[in-house]
């Protein structure tokens, strides 16, 4: 049986930085509340002047990942694209990336698992490589949140949290046993689907119907989040799925060299860190700079941790995510 390893990673965020004070200028919020409740200081937002979309940011991250992996785009056997904010209702961003990278007829698969999307994508890529069906898989997580948030005071509990950006990883077949992706564990619980959701536009809330039926104060085409309920579920599921991954590999918390939690809220990461009694240098957080970039958050953080020399060959790296669906998952990687 083959194994897979991450051969290269890349990240891209739009240049435009939006601070908490910038948001306080357009809605009733303030820097102290945002930092206290989420840890976020600033995030990056696409502007009308740049050429960024979910697909094009994904391409920018992917080009860096391919270059670092030293793998040609022509050798990519599968593209997996995770996002909750695609450029089009259909088709998905995977085929756009394929066209923009000028990759011919390899399959392009879109993953709809929100904050857990990158881990789901990684798992899909890993399975295809393990079975021998594919050798090189490009996995991308990218989000354009700013294009779809409610920046009035009504939407403040959601809109201050999210940021735009993309991350990518190139997975390749490895013959080194005990290295690379050791395991992935995935879960979902559809009964909480609407606790963190964007219901329209959809076939349930199609645009003409939204305009006709919904009063301004109850617009279903802005994201809704039951924040405290999501928070409580997140801390439980993060812990469970990290332990599940460690156990499956006969590892203990002490074996973790670097934990990269999905950047949902700094308080969630700190809760997990405290629970597992991990020192500061074994948990990577960058939500302070980027906000929550959903499917892009783990690949951006993983890339940045690697760029900063915080992940070295032989390290045990654990990725964990929780989000809308609810969906959650973990990946254990021997670097
Ligand atoms: O990535 C996907 C998974 N997502 C998560 O894991 C997120 C989980 N949830 C959270 O991170 C937190 O619940 C939030 C950061 C979203 C909210 O923090 P909270 O401590 O749960 O605040 P809250 O929603 O209970 O609101 C507390 C107060 C309310 O005012 P009152 O009713 O106490 O007067 C809100 O109206 O804070 C008010 N508030 C704000 N004030 C200033 C809500 N949003 C804001 C804001 N600025 N942006």
């Amino acid at each position: 049986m083959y194994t897979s390893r991450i051969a290269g990673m890349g990240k891209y965020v739009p240049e435009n930085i939006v601070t908490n004070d910038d948001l306080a200028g357009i809605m009733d919020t303030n820097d102290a509340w945002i930092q206290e409740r989420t840890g976020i200081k600033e995030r990056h937002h696409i502007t009308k002047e740049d050429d960024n979309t979910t697909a094009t940011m994904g391409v920018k991250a992917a080009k860096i990942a391919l270059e670092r992996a030293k793998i040609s785009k022509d050798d990519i056997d599968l593209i997996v694209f995770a996002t909750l904010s695609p450029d089009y209702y259909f088709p998905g961003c995977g085929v756009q990336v394929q066209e923009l990278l000028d990759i011919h007829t390899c399959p392009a698969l879109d993953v709809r698992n929100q904050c857990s999307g990158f881990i789901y994508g990684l798992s899909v890529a890993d399975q295809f490589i393990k079975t021998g069906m594919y050798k090189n898989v490009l996995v991308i997580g990218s989000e354009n949140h700013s294009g779809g948030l409610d920046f009035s005071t009504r939407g403040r509990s959601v809109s201050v949290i999210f940021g735009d950006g993309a991350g990518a990883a190139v997975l390749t077949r490895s013959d080194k046993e005990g290295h690379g992706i050791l395991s992935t564990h995935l879960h979902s619980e559809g009964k909480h689907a609407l606790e963190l959701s964007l219901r329209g536009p959809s076939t349930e809330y199609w645009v003409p119907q939204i305009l006709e039926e919904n009063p301004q104060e109850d617009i279903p085409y802005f994201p809704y989040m039951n924040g405290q309920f999501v928070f409580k579920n997140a801390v439980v599921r993060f812990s469970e799925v990290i332990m599940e991954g460690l156990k499956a590999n006969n590892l203990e918390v002490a074996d973790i060299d670097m934990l990269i939690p999905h950047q949902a809220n700094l308080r969630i990461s700190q809760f997990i860190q405290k629970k597992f009694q991990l020192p500061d240098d074994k948990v990577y957080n960058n939500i302070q700079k980027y906000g929550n970039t959903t499917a892009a958050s783990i690949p951006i953080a993983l890339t940045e941790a690697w760029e900063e020399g915080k992940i070295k060959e032989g390290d045990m790296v654990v990725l964990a995510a929780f989000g809308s669906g609810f969906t959650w998952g973990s990946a254990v990687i021997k670097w």
Side-chain angles (χ1 to χ4, degrees):
M1 183 138 130
Y2 302 109
T3 58
S4 71
R5 68 178 177 88
I6 295 179
M9 289 169 311
K11 71 173 206 303
Y12 174 80
V13 290
E15 272 178 30
N16 173 42
I17 295 174
V18 176
T19 65
N20 294 343
D21 286 338
D22 291 334
L23 291 178
I26 55 171
M27 66 175 82
D28 181 11
T29 190
N30 56 77
D31 178 54
W33 190 96
I34 301 172
Q35 285 211 50
E36 161 79 17
R37 307 276 174 142
T38 71
I40 299 166
K41 296 182 179 181
E42 58 192 34
R43 72 287 292 140
H44 294 242
H45 283 174
I46 289 173
T47 64
K48 285 198 173 67
E49 288 71 43
D50 59 43
D51 66 344
N52 290 313
T53 70
T54 299
T56 62
M57 290 192 295
V59 166
K60 288 174 190 177
K63 281 184 175 168
I64 299 167
L66 284 162
E67 199 182 312
R68 287 175 175 166
K70 298 187 176 61
I71 288 173
S72 158
K73 49 117 180 145
D74 297 321
D75 292 326
I76 292 296
D77 302 310
L78 168 70
I79 298 165
V80 182
F81 199 109
T83 188
L84 63 69
S85 51
D87 292 356
Y88 310 134
Y89 192 83
F90 71 85
C93 289
V95 292
Q96 288 177 265
V97 166
Q98 181 181 38
E99 173 63 9
L100 290 165
L101 286 177
D102 190 26
I103 298 175
H104 289 285
T105 58
C106 83
L109 174 72
D110 284 76
V111 166
R112 293 290 310 271
N113 294 86
Q114 298 68 249
C115 303
S116 314
F118 185 78
I119 291 187
Y120 268 73
L122 209 62
S123 185
V124 168
D126 181 46
Q127 310 313 315
F128 273 120
I129 291 173
K130 270 186 185 151
T131 60
M133 184 155 172
Y134 297 132
K135 193 172 171 207
N136 300 311
V137 183
L138 173 60
V139 184
I140 299 172
S142 180
E143 303 286 2
N144 166 8
H145 281 302
S146 64
L149 294 171
D150 178 359
F151 287 108
S152 72
T153 296
R154 178 184 54 195
R156 65 182 181 176
S157 64
V158 172
S159 52
V160 301
I161 297 171
F162 294 97
D164 302 338
V170 176
L171 268 71
T172 193
R173 185 186 289 171
S174 168
D175 46 16
K176 209 168 159 193
E177 226 174 279
H179 268 251
I181 299 183
L182 302 184
S183 66
T184 54
H185 288 87
L186 307 176
H187 296 276
S188 47
E189 194 176 28
K191 74 175 172 192
H192 300 310
L194 297 185
E195 302 296 343
L196 176 43
S197 58
L198 175 63
R199 292 177 69 179
S202 63
T203 49
E204 183 194 14
Y205 286 107
W206 205 236
V207 176
Q209 188 190 339
I210 293 171
L211 297 175
E212 197 180 311
E213 289 177 9
N214 287 279
Q216 273 303 102
E217 63 272 17
D218 184 25
I219 297 174
Y221 53 84
F222 286 127
Y224 165 77
M225 176 161 69
N226 181 348
Q228 293 193 1
F229 186 72
V230 175
F231 193 108
K232 283 179 196 149
N233 277 267
V235 292
V236 172
R237 298 307 192 186
F238 264 110
S239 309
E240 278 177 10
V241 82
I242 291 167
M243 286 314 296
E244 190 179 14
L246 291 175
K247 238 176 161 179
N249 294 290
N250 293 318
L251 298 170
E252 300 192 353
V253 170
D255 295 314
I256 298 176
D257 293 306
M258 183 57 80
L259 171 65
I260 302 197
H262 159 55
Q263 302 292 290
N265 183 325
L266 190 60
R267 306 294 160 240
I268 294 176
S269 297
Q270 287 169 337
F271 182 95
I272 306 300
Q273 178 177 350
K274 199 168 165 204
K275 182 166 179 186
F276 289 154
Q277 297 184 323
L278 286 164
D280 286 350
D281 63 347
K282 292 194 172 183
V283 183
Y284 192 81
N285 288 303
N286 59 10
I287 191 171
Q288 300 90 330
K289 291 189 289 181
Y290 303 122
N292 179 345
T293 57
T294 312
S297 100
I298 288 187
I300 290 175
L302 188 60
T303 303
E304 202 165 89
W306 177 81
E307 285 169 348
E308 291 170 6
K310 291 180 177 158
I311 297 175
K312 294 171 292 300
E313 175 124 27
D315 279 356
M316 195 62 75
V317 178
V318 177
L319 314 179
F322 175 87
S324 160
F326 293 152
T327 59
W328 61 102
S330 66
V332 178
I333 306 171
K334 179 87 168 168
W335 210 259

